[in-house]
Amino acid sequence: MRSLSSPVRPIADDGDAVRFCSTCAFSSACIAVGYGKPELAELHCLVEHVGPFRAGEHVFRTGDPFRAIYAVRGGTVKTCMVDKQGREQVLGFYLPGEVIGLNAIYPDHFPCDAIALETAYFCRFSFPAMSALAARMPVVQQHLFRLISKELGAASLLAGDHSADTRMAAFLVDLSERYAFRGFSDTRFHLSMSRADIANYLRLAAETVSRVLSRFRSQGLIAVEGRELVLRDPAGLRAIGQDLLAD
């Protein structure tokens, strides 16, 4: 098979005096109601750029005190927890522009680990300061509620008794749509997560994931080389995964 050209690894720029950085987790909500960076100077002052975190490094660990949420600027992150038998359970994968740490708001400590899958950078928002700001700025408060709701709804990808093909197709389409939402390619991207991590997340065996990807490739739905993936037939994948995808 001919080599696939490597897609550009997404990372945010830093914006400028009037623009948010390209994958800002709050820009779309703020711009929609006419707010730009000058009007949101207080929010911008809450942001601390942190990183790099190298592949395998923890952004936070289970039990750490909850003081901030993290918006991914570049790279990919997985969240996971370890059960009493020492088995890891992957809870989710996060791309540039997405927020991790929201599930720590109620217990006031992080209930899971967050681990960089490749070199990753973050905007860290002080949550106590953000909560105070949200109380004065409805757009920030409403967007926080949307982010929390989206976090709660993410588990639907794993719900019910669905086939391995359905789960895998839905997973790939979901990744595609999330990249597209942030302005990146929706048909060519790097799978920074391992087959084992994908299998763990989808509640499948690793060999099943490999078989499904091979089948999708033979059907002309995807092209794959290592972790570089091209969606050849997004509509076909959506048809397979439709039971797990929003309309």
Side-chain angles (χ1 to χ4, degrees):
M1 174 181 176
R2 67 181 178 83
S3 178
L4 303 176
S5 57
S6 295
V8 175
R9 301 296 178 85
I11 185 168
D13 58 63
D14 290 327
D16 55 29
V18 296
R19 293 184 305 108
F20 294 93
C21 60
S22 59
T23 57
C24 175
F26 292 89
S27 61
S28 59
C30 297
I31 292 169
V33 294
Y35 287 158
K37 191 178 276 189
E39 293 84 0
L40 289 170
E42 284 186 83
L43 177 59
H44 194 246
C45 289
L46 302 182
V47 179
E48 177 187 5
H49 286 179
V50 295
F53 291 82
R54 306 299 179 188
E57 291 184 344
H58 282 74
V59 183
F60 53 75
R61 295 177 182 270
T62 302
D64 285 351
F66 173 59
R67 299 289 180 265
I69 59 176
Y70 294 77
V72 184
R73 293 183 63 227
T76 315
V77 182
K78 74 172 179 180
T79 54
C80 57
M81 59 194 310
V82 178
D83 65 20
K84 293 180 179 179
Q85 287 71 45
R87 295 172 298 202
E88 181 182 89
Q89 177 62 66
V90 176
L91 303 176
F93 303 106
Y94 295 82
L95 311 176
E98 297 181 339
V99 175
I100 56 175
L102 292 167
N103 58 351
I105 292 174
Y106 168 67
D108 207 31
H109 63 267
F110 290 107
C112 61
D113 295 348
I115 302 172
L117 295 175
E118 57 190 336
T119 301
Y121 302 82
F122 302 87
C123 289
R124 182 165 60 195
F125 293 82
S126 162
F127 195 75
M130 176 171 280
S131 296
L133 179 62
R136 303 198 309 275
M137 298 189 70
V139 64
V140 176
Q141 184 180 67
Q142 290 167 10
H143 193 56
L144 274 175
F145 288 157
R146 287 193 195 99
L147 291 172
I148 293 168
S149 177
K150 185 177 179 181
E151 180 82 5
L152 292 173
S156 65
L157 192 62
L158 309 175
D161 183 19
H162 297 284
S163 71
D165 284 29
T166 298
R167 289 172 184 264
M168 193 70 216
F171 173 72
L172 295 177
V173 172
D174 178 66
L175 277 182
S176 168
E177 293 178 344
R178 287 157 62 192
Y179 273 124
F181 183 75
R182 294 298 172 188
F184 303 121
S185 173
D186 60 348
T187 59
R188 182 183 296 269
F189 42 84
H190 177 78
L191 289 176
S192 55
M193 61 289 292
S194 67
R195 301 284 193 273
D197 278 344
I198 294 172
N200 188 314
Y201 175 64
L202 295 177
R203 314 300 193 261
L204 300 171
E207 55 270 23
T208 300
V209 166
S210 294
R211 283 199 301 269
V212 172
L213 289 174
S214 294
R215 183 160 53 249
F216 285 176
R217 180 169 53 188
S218 67
Q219 293 169 345
L221 296 168
I222 63 172
V224 59
E225 184 176 294
R227 294 190 182 183
E228 307 305 324
L229 183 79
V230 176
L231 303 191
R232 300 289 195 202
D233 185 1
L237 286 169
R238 172 169 281 279
I240 294 170
Q242 63 183 347
D243 289 346
L244 284 172
L245 294 166
D247 294 329

